[in-house]
Amino acid sequence: MRKVLVCGAAFAAACIAAAGVPGAAGADTPSPSPTVDVPTAPGTDAPVAPGTPSGTPSTGGPSPSAPGTGSPSATAPDAPAQQPVTGNDSVSSATAVMVTPKPPSARTYAYGKSARQRIDVYWRRQPGAKKAAKPAKGAKTAKTAKVAKPKARPAVLVLHGGYWLAGDKSEWRYFARRLTGQGYAVFAADYRLATTARWPAQRNDALAAIAFIRKNAARWNVDPGRLVVLGSSAGGQLATQLGTYGRGTDLVRGVVALSPVNTPYLAYQQGEQSTASAPQQKLRRAVGELTGCVPDAFDAACWARLEDANSGTHVSAGDAPMLLMHSAGDFVPVTHSTGLASALRAAGVAATVRTVAGSGHGGALLNDPGAYARILAFLKARTR
């Protein structure tokens, strides 16, 4: 249902501001939502056959929390901050009437056998993709001119964060809604966590998610050659892994990574310092769980896994261009990206590192006024 809010002239400005700003989510674990955004198998998370829908199409699609109802969690900040509704996200007039657009269609699929191998797909009907009208009863069927199929749309794969230990794809439903308004199909994927699967299972799952998108691209009229990946924190590390895996541009056109843990061993070292914050100490423990080992001079297999999890070790010519972002006070400091960017540039690959004000982490970087615009500009440049 489309929501319509009419305000009196005296309160027009205040009303528009209140209606246009959804509640923010600033933690790994999202606040409970009063609506169901993406249909899933009721009462169970049992595996669904790969490539099979685990629900029915949503007519309402995902929707952000009602204005003013968002309740940030106190856990580690990694879920995307919800942004003021602008541009294609809303319509307002001089009479202070705001109409929220119809949410995109949304559906959940399985791309593997594990309960964590799930992907949420968000898309909107494209102009020219209307269903053909049925002929009148008794009327002769005449040959009609072929209707031109809409141009295949670009796509964005989103990978959540959470120390490789937690997190959920649904945290990005509001961001996905914004991107569908820009003409993208958005795929938000879960992956196996380090609590049950050791590295490189997480990268393998991200690769499997891309394979699923490519195989089924026609379902959403997606151009598999115009796919970009965006990841946050631990998901940012997975995103930069995809961008440097083999010849990165064979997989994705570009990478956007927010607070990416590009060098897990660096995070391990930072977490043992006396000045380490609680999130940095947790990240140190998470690196141990991810690799299933503690770095030791005599454990060659452990060092090999740590090197493999370092995105910089995979850099080569032909990798995907990257936009890497951290905050000035990020507990995953910008040094995780400056080294990777230097390696990419040395290989002839474009790489940009941005530091925004504050101490936000992951999706919270979107609170910076220019962050969303910068990300959108990068996506559009890479998916022309």
Side-chain angles (χ1 to χ4, degrees):
M1 177 181 295
R2 302 180 76 187
K3 301 176 184 177
V4 180
L5 179 63
V6 181
C7 308
F11 302 100
C15 188
I16 289 176
V21 185
D28 292 327
T29 305
S31 301
S33 173
T35 59
V36 178
D37 296 294
V38 180
T40 54
T44 178
D45 60 355
V48 181
T52 320
S54 60
T56 55
S58 168
T59 56
S63 60
S65 302
T69 60
S71 54
S73 167
T75 56
D78 186 67
Q82 297 177 343
Q83 297 294 296
V85 181
T86 58
N88 289 349
D89 301 317
S90 65
V91 178
S92 60
S93 74
T95 56
V97 176
M98 175 169 286
V99 180
T100 60
K102 182 180 179 181
S105 298
R107 198 167 186 176
T108 299
Y109 296 85
Y111 66 86
K113 295 181 179 180
S114 169
R116 286 289 303 183
Q117 292 171 320
R118 298 289 184 273
I119 191 166
D120 291 343
V121 186
Y122 303 81
W123 74 99
R124 294 182 187 273
R125 183 180 294 277
Q126 294 172 292
K130 297 179 180 179
K131 295 181 180 179
K134 293 183 179 179
K137 188 175 182 180
K140 292 183 179 180
T141 305
K143 292 184 178 180
T144 57
K146 291 184 178 179
V147 178
K149 184 179 179 181
K151 181 181 178 181
R153 68 184 116 207
V156 178
L157 170 63
V158 181
L159 299 169
H160 67 79
Y163 299 90
W164 305 285
L165 302 174
D168 186 87
K169 53 187 169 46
S170 65
E171 296 167 1
W172 288 85
R173 62 186 179 271
Y174 183 77
F175 184 77
R177 176 174 178 170
R178 295 195 76 183
L179 285 185
T180 59
Q182 296 290 337
Y184 290 90
V186 181
F187 299 81
D190 277 343
Y191 47 86
R192 285 171 291 170
L193 301 175
T195 51
T196 59
R198 191 175 67 184
W199 180 264
Q202 296 71 28
R203 182 180 63 202
N204 291 341
D205 285 357
L207 290 168
I210 286 183
F212 173 81
I213 295 169
R214 291 182 179 279
K215 182 178 179 180
N216 297 279
R219 292 188 184 191
W220 314 283
N221 195 32
V222 161
D223 180 354
R226 292 195 293 156
L227 173 64
V228 174
V229 61
L230 181 148
S232 170
S233 193
Q237 180 257 358
L238 295 179
T240 59
Q241 284 277 321
L242 292 179
T244 57
Y245 189 80
R247 187 175 182 272
T249 48
D250 290 339
L251 293 171
V252 293
R253 281 272 192 97
V255 173
V256 177
L258 309 178
S259 307
V261 192
N262 293 318
T263 312
Y265 181 59
L266 176 60
Y268 187 87
Q269 290 179 307
Q270 291 168 337
E272 67 179 350
Q273 296 175 4
S274 59
T275 56
S277 64
Q280 288 176 322
Q281 292 172 13
K282 180 177 179 179
L283 186 56
R284 171 185 165 85
R285 295 191 295 271
V287 170
E289 290 204 51
L290 179 69
T291 59
C293 62
V294 174
D296 184 275
F298 305 104
D299 192 342
C302 184
W303 283 111
R305 283 196 292 277
L306 279 167
E307 283 294 294
D308 188 38
N310 180 351
S311 299
T313 63
H314 299 288
V315 169
S316 62
D319 284 342
M322 298 191 188
L323 172 61
L324 311 169
M325 300 178 70
H326 296 257
S327 72
D330 206 323
F331 74 83
V332 177
V334 71
T335 48
H336 277 266
S337 289
T338 51
L340 173 59
S342 296
L344 287 167
R345 292 171 191 144
V349 180
T352 301
V353 180
R354 296 291 185 191
T355 303
V356 303
S359 57
H361 174 76
L365 299 183
L366 295 175
N367 286 330
D368 181 84
Y372 177 77
R374 187 175 293 118
I375 290 170
L376 186 60
F378 178 88
L379 295 178
K380 288 185 174 181
R382 298 309 309 163
T383 57
R384 288 174 182 163

